[in-house]
Amino acid sequence: MLYEMRIPPGVTERDMANIINQYEVELVHTDYGPVIKGEITVLEEIRDYLVKELNQRINKFEKK
C-alpha cells in the first residue's frame, strides 16, 4: 500500500533530487501541493532525512 507525505516548506530542489534518486518514491503534484508517494517505512526514512537536512540548515544560520 502506498502512502502520501506532503513536502514541508524549505525543502530544496537538491534535497528532492536526492530523495527521488535514493529512494523508491514518486513525486506527485496535487491541488494542495507536491507530495511524495511510497511505502510507509520509506517515507519514515525520508522524514528523518529531511529533518536532519533542515536542522543542519537552521544551525548554519544560527551560528552567525
Side-chain angles (χ1 to χ4, degrees):
M1 178 176 199
L2 295 180
Y3 293 87
E4 293 182 353
M5 180 175 79
R6 293 184 74 187
I7 300 169
V11 175
T12 64
E13 289 180 21
R14 179 183 56 94
D15 289 335
M16 285 308 304
N18 288 340
I19 288 168
I20 292 169
N21 289 329
Q22 189 173 4
Y23 299 96
E24 283 190 37
V25 293
E26 180 182 358
L27 179 62
V28 179
H29 296 281
T30 68
D31 291 340
Y32 303 103
V35 297
I36 301 170
K37 280 189 172 184
E39 295 292 329
I40 191 74
T41 55
V42 174
L43 294 179
E44 289 171 347
E45 289 179 34
I46 292 170
R47 179 196 60 207
D48 294 342
Y49 169 81
L50 289 174
V51 167
K52 183 183 117 204
E53 290 295 315
L54 290 171
N55 281 332
Q56 284 179 352
R57 197 167 320 126
I58 290 168
N59 289 335
K60 178 181 166 183
F61 289 111
E62 284 182 343
K63 290 181 182 179
K64 291 185 177 186

